[in-house]
Amino acid sequence: MRIERIEQHQAFGGQQLKYRHHSDSLHCSMTFSLYLPKPSASPTSLIWWLSGLTCTDDNFSQKGAFQKYASQENVAFLIPDTSPRGELPDDEAWDLGQGAGFYVNATCEPWKQNYQMYDYLVNELPEIVYDLIPNYSGKESIMGHSMGGHGALIVGLKQPERFSAISAFAPILNPSNVPWGKKAFTAYLGTDETTWKTWDATELLQKVGEIHPPILLTQGTADPFYAVQLNETAFLANVKDTDEQVRYEKKEGYDHSYFTIATFIEEHLAFHCQQFHK
Amino acid sequence: MRIERIEQHQAFGGQQLKYRHHSDSLHCSMTFSLYLPKPSASPTSLIWWLSGLTCTDDNFSQKGAFQKYASQENVAFLIPDTSPRGELPDDEAWDLGQGAGFYVNATCEPWKQNYQMYDYLVNELPEIVYDLIPNYSGKESIMGHSMGGHGALIVGLKQPERFSAISAFAPILNPSNVPWGKKAFTAYLGTDETTWKTWDATELLQKVGEIHPPILLTQGTADPFYAVQLNETAFLANVKDTDEQVRYEKKEGYDHSYFTIATFIEEHLAFHCQQFHK
């Protein structure tokens, strides 16, 4: 398999890198970004970042302001794209098709040939990325924003042994019951809503009970999508009374933008690193 | 005069704002960005940021990673656009016309009606912005990147009493003698190179001698524009032997991107704040 490095920028003593490769899962050419912290004698852990609707792997690299802390904490960041790309099925709307893969495996036409983002993420991409991290510790965790916050939750809850921590900024928490999620799941998974349950974080949390990585969720109160798309009620109702591993924090006055992510990324990184060091 | 706030995002306890207004100097509608730090009892100082070729006022706001330090140090940031905008003279090339105003007052057709960026910056824009900063200290300084690094130098060297400090990342230092500068100055100022001297930082430094604000210049050694566009030899040759107020620092492996700016913005902010506190 051919993988090509297409960008390299030094940042905070480390390297912000961008790669292109052919994906066998998605049947198209994909890019991803990778931050490697400044060289260190101790093993490097890996945090995955999943982006939101309309994003590519560039948004978080350029606007996330995480590199300083990643370099200090000796953590690498993997930033995948948000969907398959190129001459393949798409939709005119920004919340379906390219830029809006929702990190699921589609089962319906015309999506199912290419929109296998879950398989791409959990099986194909890691095998490429682990080899790019010098002195990789084998420890990994996952975070994301909005659609990607939901992606982090479903990937982390479906593979609870794999990830040390899960966190999200302004995540969709219950896609089966909000407009963005209903539209995407109907297209990718079909109208039989029982098939949606294995791709909905609220349902997955109920299924796994307390057996999950520690979860940190940050939601700005000035986020215009909060009330309709990002409501937390159903998700939090599925947190067991004895489960102390879910933190849900509201931040007064913060919105849905990368300015919120930049402000609180240091807190999220500290949360993940605390788990790595356990 | 009508000024309209078109964006507002909370960031690090402060506000990242964007405004639109009609400019009398440029005869067009302009946008600028303004960061206000979190509210403080002590007076707030102001740093101007001038961006490089092709940029708008968004690049530094989104990729500069300065808001944390600005909020900690109680400093506001004014980020103007890089040229007049709209249905007015332009060029197909990215290094002339819109996005490439070079912060000079043009004297030649077809540019001179609109391309009065120096007047806009030093006379028109500040009168709008000072009123937007609660408890403004009256202290201001200037920094920038590439074309905007040169802009910071010429604005600061032409008004040495006004600014507490000047700094620049990867600045053009001697535009009269490099391709970007020759092309822009020929278009905006004409072929008589004697008229270029009042807009060239190397010439201005010779003229002011040691009477200038402290200057910090940061240049990455992996910057692809370094050798041809950003050479420092002539500028540093004009620093008087007894002048200890110019620091020129090379950073090994850093390039021309905002990743370099994000990495060293904390150092630049500390340099400016040291002058504010004198």
Side-chain angles (χ1 to χ4, degrees):
Chain A
M1 181 196 51
R2 187 162 158 270
I3 169 166
E4 180 192 5
R5 193 176 68 205
I6 56 177
E7 279 189 41
Q8 176 173 27
H9 308 283
Q10 193 156 292
F12 293 95
Q15 300 292 329
Q16 184 63 58
L17 308 162
K18 186 178 172 96
Y19 294 89
R20 180 177 288 127
H21 73 116
H22 178 81
S23 166
D24 293 333
S25 319
L26 308 176
H27 305 291
C28 65
S29 174
M30 292 292 288
T31 62
F32 66 88
S33 288
L34 177 68
Y35 181 71
L36 295 179
K38 64 175 182 292
S40 164
S42 50
T44 299
S45 298
L46 173 64
I47 301 179
W48 305 21
W49 172 272
L50 303 185
S51 299
L53 289 164
T54 76
C55 289
T56 69
D57 56 304
D58 288 333
N59 301 67
F60 183 64
S61 306
Q62 296 178 355
K63 303 179 185 177
F66 67 90
Q67 289 93 347
K68 179 182 180 179
Y69 312 110
S71 212
Q72 284 172 350
E73 299 288 346
N74 194 23
V75 167
F77 264 84
L78 163 62
I79 311 160
D81 202 348
T82 54
S83 75
R85 298 285 181 179
E87 296 297 314
L88 46 85
D90 197 3
D91 189 275
E92 286 183 3
W94 55 269
D95 55 1
L96 188 66
Q98 294 189 35
F102 268 81
Y103 309 106
V104 303
N105 288 335
T107 54
C108 293
E109 297 290 354
W111 311 103
K112 67 181 184 183
Q113 286 75 12
N114 301 101
Y115 284 70
Q116 300 293 319
M117 283 298 287
Y118 182 78
D119 278 355
Y120 172 65
L121 283 184
V122 305
N123 296 320
E124 183 179 1
L125 192 54
E127 293 308 313
I128 298 166
V129 170
Y130 297 152
D131 287 343
L132 297 172
I133 305 170
N135 199 13
Y136 175 45
S137 73
K139 293 182 180 179
E140 55 193 324
S141 68
I142 188 161
M143 58 168 80
H145 174 231
S146 197
M147 172 184 78
H150 187 260
L153 283 163
I154 60 174
V155 171
L157 292 172
K158 280 172 168 287
Q159 306 212 331
E161 306 293 320
R162 179 173 185 168
F163 295 96
S164 301
I166 303 170
S167 78
F169 297 84
I172 302 172
L173 287 169
N174 187 198
S176 305
N177 288 307
V178 303
W180 280 339
K182 285 182 185 178
K183 179 176 179 178
F185 282 14
T186 302
Y188 299 144
L189 306 172
T191 52
D192 176 4
E193 298 188 16
T194 58
T195 66
W196 298 4
K197 290 183 190 293
T198 57
W199 300 108
D200 184 307
T202 292
E203 300 287 344
L204 288 169
L205 181 66
Q206 187 171 44
K207 189 175 159 200
V208 301
E210 294 178 50
I211 311 301
H212 62 76
I215 296 172
L216 169 62
L217 307 172
T218 295
Q219 177 61 56
T221 62
D223 185 329
F225 302 113
Y226 175 36
V228 172
Q229 306 281 8
L230 312 173
N231 188 283
E232 75 279 22
T233 310
F235 184 85
L236 294 184
N238 280 357
V239 177
K240 301 264 178 287
D241 288 344
T242 50
D243 183 354
E244 296 180 347
Q245 296 280 67
V246 179
R247 267 167 64 189
Y248 183 80
E249 298 188 350
K250 288 192 189 179
K251 300 291 186 180
E252 190 64 31
Y254 285 87
D255 67 15
H256 202 68
S257 71
Y258 271 81
F259 293 111
T260 302
I261 296 168
T263 301
F264 298 107
I265 193 69
E266 186 179 5
E267 281 183 27
H268 278 241
L269 240 153
F271 175 78
H272 286 247
C273 290
Q274 196 179 23
Q275 304 307 321
F276 289 149
H277 298 150
K278 271 186 178 167
Chain B
M1 180 197 51
R2 185 162 160 272
I3 169 168
E4 180 192 4
R5 192 177 66 204
I6 55 177
E7 280 189 40
Q8 176 173 26
H9 307 283
Q10 193 156 292
F12 294 95
Q15 300 292 329
Q16 184 63 59
L17 308 162
K18 186 179 172 97
Y19 294 90
R20 180 177 287 126
H21 73 116
H22 178 82
S23 166
D24 294 333
S25 318
L26 308 177
H27 307 291
C28 65
S29 175
M30 293 292 288
T31 61
F32 65 88
S33 288
L34 178 67
Y35 180 71
L36 295 179
K38 65 175 182 291
S40 165
S42 50
T44 298
S45 298
L46 174 64
I47 302 179
W48 304 22
W49 172 272
L50 303 185
S51 299
L53 289 164
T54 76
C55 289
T56 69
D57 56 304
D58 288 332
N59 302 66
F60 183 64
S61 307
Q62 297 178 355
K63 303 179 187 178
F66 67 91
Q67 288 94 346
K68 178 181 181 179
Y69 312 109
S71 212
Q72 284 172 349
E73 298 288 346
N74 193 24
V75 168
F77 265 83
L78 164 61
I79 310 159
D81 202 351
T82 53
S83 74
R85 296 286 180 179
E87 296 296 314
L88 47 84
D90 197 2
D91 190 275
E92 287 183 5
W94 55 270
D95 55 0
L96 188 67
Q98 294 188 35
F102 269 82
Y103 308 105
V104 303
N105 288 335
T107 54
C108 293
E109 296 291 353
W111 310 104
K112 67 181 185 183
Q113 287 75 13
N114 300 100
Y115 284 71
Q116 301 292 317
M117 283 297 287
Y118 183 78
D119 278 355
Y120 173 66
L121 282 184
V122 305
N123 297 320
E124 184 178 1
L125 192 54
E127 293 308 312
I128 299 166
V129 170
Y130 296 152
D131 287 342
L132 297 172
I133 304 171
N135 198 16
Y136 175 45
S137 72
K139 293 182 181 177
E140 56 193 324
S141 67
I142 190 162
M143 58 170 80
H145 174 230
S146 195
M147 173 185 77
H150 187 259
L153 283 162
I154 61 174
V155 170
L157 292 172
K158 280 172 167 289
Q159 305 212 331
E161 305 294 319
R162 180 173 184 169
F163 295 97
S164 300
I166 303 170
S167 78
F169 296 83
I172 300 172
L173 288 168
N174 188 198
S176 306
N177 288 308
V178 303
W180 281 339
K182 286 182 184 177
K183 178 177 179 178
F185 281 14
T186 300
Y188 298 145
L189 306 172
T191 51
D192 176 5
E193 297 188 16
T194 59
T195 67
W196 298 4
K197 291 184 190 292
T198 57
W199 299 108
D200 185 307
T202 293
E203 300 288 342
L204 288 168
L205 182 66
Q206 185 170 46
K207 190 174 159 201
V208 301
E210 295 178 47
I211 311 302
H212 62 76
I215 296 172
L216 169 61
L217 307 172
T218 295
Q219 176 61 56
T221 62
D223 185 331
F225 302 114
Y226 175 37
V228 171
Q229 306 282 7
L230 311 174
N231 187 284
E232 76 279 21
T233 310
F235 184 84
L236 294 184
N238 281 357
V239 177
K240 300 267 181 284
D241 288 343
T242 50
D243 184 353
E244 296 179 347
Q245 296 281 69
V246 179
R247 267 168 62 189
Y248 183 81
E249 298 188 350
K250 290 193 190 178
K251 301 290 187 181
E252 190 64 31
Y254 285 89
D255 66 16
H256 202 67
S257 72
Y258 271 81
F259 294 111
T260 301
I261 296 168
T263 301
F264 298 107
I265 193 69
E266 187 179 6
E267 280 183 27
H268 278 241
L269 240 153
F271 175 78
H272 286 247
C273 290
Q274 194 178 26
Q275 304 306 321
F276 289 148
H277 297 150
K278 271 187 180 168

